[in-house]
Amino acid sequence: MTEDTPAPDADAPLTPLVPDDPDAAALEAVAGDGDPGPLPDAPRGTSELARVYAALLARAGETMVEPRLDATRRACELLGDIHTAAPVITITGTNGKTSTARMVDALLTAHGLRVGRFTSPHLHRVTERISVDSAEVAEPVFVRIHDEIAPVLAVVDAELDAVGRARLTFFEALTVLAFAVFADAPVDVMVLEVGMGGEWDSTNVADAQVCGFSPVGFDHMAHLGPDLTAIATTKAGILDRTVDPSPAPDPVAVVAVQEPEAERALAAQIAARGVRAVWEDRDFAVVAREKAVDGQLLTARGAVGSYPDLFLPLHGAHQVHNAALALAICEQFLSDGEKPLDAETVAQGFSQVDSPGRAEILRSEPTILVDGAHNPAGARVLADTIAEAFDFREVVGVLAMFGDKDPHGVLEHVHRFADRVVVTEAVSPRAMPVDELAAAAAEWWDPDDVLRAEDLNAALMQAIDLALADGEPGIGIVVTGSLATVAEARTLLGRKDA
């Protein structure tokens, strides 16, 4: 492992994920990775949040997508056009959206703006998805705003019922709630991460001044299409104007490096709309980077400025490129791309960035790293990051996935860094059965190197025993496969902050 690996609670026991823990419910409601499930009884002190969360979970889950904007727009308009209450930055893509959104938030905050950020999924608490001033919305505020907008949600539900259409979904209602929180604060800017796709994602009811595109890859093909052209075309829908008159009639697209097919599709959509665009490696770029204690140093070239020696407290080349994308987005938003940002302020912003559940170290001796990679592109990035940033002499992988994901696409890259793997089941009705995942793993590892565990707690204990068996340091444990898996691991290891 690296010399800067932290040692949080190295000897602390695992914390069981008990049935009455509301965090168990959070594992059931991971956007794109999990379907909202039944809400367990909540401990004292969280009954109001549990009540509101139960009401949200009673709606159609996040994998039950309604490709529409009119329902969310109707609710926002009835609430006083809350989707236009502040300028908007929207970020779509396949991987890196959340990290990029958090970086944009940090940079704008460093520049003195009050930022409202809406991201998904959450790791432990639904309140994590909505933040103001870079902090998770307080439970009383979340509850109060939900109760204030609930009558309007009921009106829209009734209108949809009357014409035989599905009621507002979990994600649609949560999007409306986020807009309402931001309007109530109020905030100076809203940073919105698209939940799925772009064209018909509920966040797209807001017209973004700047539209960011992280790398587009394969995921959610049942909803987005079978190839990168279809997926990228749907994501380019965030460039559409849905408000009349639009508060941002001339958006700018800021585009990260893409696969050639995705780049061609995005370029075609941008040209068709006559939108101005800035592209990574043409208009902005990562100039240099090097490993540093607890992260890395980068020099970035923006569209209008140069920013040397920025400290980013995250590992992996992908995070440096996310940072370049975030910086270019902020240049366009704060100065219309006409003048550079203050380099010291940019450095201050990046120094405050974190990204829980993404190449995150939770414990040392042995080092336990968690990462929410759940598709081939995410697993490839994880493998690259481990190879570059860590000096493990051996790695034990711990893996739990969902049944609608591509196990071999993920295992191909997990196999690059894991010498052995312990497979188990995620806490979700959509979990891939352990026997199915073990059979897939047996095609990549020798049979003796594929172990099974009945749950993640048992898998972690088994992995720790393997890592400590010979008494020599340097064996790492990497937990991955979904963000639900990461969330459960964080809970078991006593980390519920996100």
Side-chain angles (χ1 to χ4, degrees), residues 64-135:
M64 301 171 67
V65 175
E66 291 292 333
R68 64 189 183 188
L69 292 178
D70 62 320
T72 303
R73 183 188 301 114
R74 173 67 170 155
C76 289
E77 290 172 347
L78 288 175
L79 288 164
D81 291 326
I82 54 175
H83 57 314
T84 66
V88 173
I89 294 170
T90 299
I91 300 168
T92 190
T94 301
N95 292 300
K97 292 180 297 181
T98 299
S99 293
T100 303
R102 294 176 77 100
M103 292 177 192
V104 169
D105 184 342
L107 291 174
L108 296 179
T109 298
H111 280 83
L113 296 183
R114 191 174 203 197
V115 182
R117 170 168 43 89
F118 180 49
T119 57
S120 58
H122 60 273
L123 285 171
H124 302 294
R125 298 171 300 277
V126 68
T127 48
E128 294 166 19
R129 300 191 184 205
I130 302 172
S131 80
V132 176
D133 295 328
S134 300

Side-chain angles (χ1 to χ4, degrees), residues 345-357:
T345 305
V346 169
Q348 176 190 348
F350 276 131
S351 71
Q352 302 302 309
V353 170
D354 64 357
S355 193

Side-chain angles (χ1 to χ4, degrees), residues 222-258:
H223 299 291
L224 303 181
D227 52 45
L228 291 181
T229 297
I231 294 170
T233 298
T234 299
K235 292 181 185 293
I238 65 171
L239 297 168
D240 293 337
R241 304 295 85 184
T242 65
V243 180
D244 187 17
S246 176
D250 300 306
V252 57
V254 182
V255 190
V257 170
Q258 304 288 335

Side-chain angles (χ1 to χ4, degrees), residues 267-281:
Q269 293 299 314
I270 289 167
R273 292 169 172 82
V275 170
R276 183 169 66 87
V278 293
W279 299 80
E280 186 174 6
D281 285 351

Side-chain angles (χ1 to χ4, degrees), residues 82 85-86 113-117 130-138 141-142 144-145 148 176-190:
I82 54 175
L113 296 183
R114 191 174 203 197
V115 182
R117 170 168 43 89
I130 302 172
S131 80
V132 176
D133 295 328
S134 300
E136 173 183 345
V137 64
V141 174
F142 188 93
R144 173 176 63 82
I145 299 296
E148 289 174 358
V176 176
L177 177 56
F179 284 130
V181 168
F182 300 152
D184 179 76
V187 300
D188 299 316
V189 54
M190 298 185 281

Side-chain angles (χ1 to χ4, degrees), residues 137-310:
V137 64
E139 289 185 12
V141 174
F142 188 93
V143 169
R144 173 176 63 82
I145 299 296
H146 175 271
D147 289 348
E148 289 174 358
I149 70 171
V152 169
L153 300 182
V155 167
V156 177
D157 286 339
E159 291 176 349
L160 292 167
D161 277 341
V163 293
R165 298 176 64 196
R167 294 185 173 194
L168 290 164
T169 67
F170 175 94
F171 192 75
E172 288 174 322
L174 197 61
T175 302
V176 176
L177 177 56
F179 284 130
V181 168
F182 300 152
D184 179 76
V187 300
D188 299 316
V189 54
M190 298 185 281
V191 178
L192 310 178
E193 176 190 347
V194 170
M196 186 186 298
E199 177 185 356
W200 37 254
D201 186 82
S202 57
T203 58
N204 201 31
V205 298
D207 284 358
Q209 182 174 320
V210 181
C211 299
F213 293 84
S214 73
V216 174
F218 289 101
D219 206 1
H220 306 301
M221 283 88 81
H223 299 291
L224 303 181
D227 52 45
L228 291 181
T229 297
I231 294 170
T233 298
T234 299
K235 292 181 185 293
I238 65 171
L239 297 168
D240 293 337
R241 304 295 85 184
T242 65
V243 180
D244 187 17
S246 176
D250 300 306
V252 57
V254 182
V255 190
V257 170
Q258 304 288 335
E259 293 289 338
E261 181 182 349
E263 180 177 334
R264 288 192 296 270
L266 289 175
Q269 293 299 314
I270 289 167
R273 292 169 172 82
V275 170
R276 183 169 66 87
V278 293
W279 299 80
E280 186 174 6
D281 285 351
R282 300 182 210 170
D283 306 298
F284 66 96
V286 174
V287 176
R289 71 183 188 94
E290 60 182 276
K291 292 190 342 183
V293 176
D294 291 330
Q296 47 197 325
L297 287 175
L298 72 137
T299 294
R301 173 174 57 82
V304 290
S306 182
Y307 307 88
D309 299 326
L310 303 171

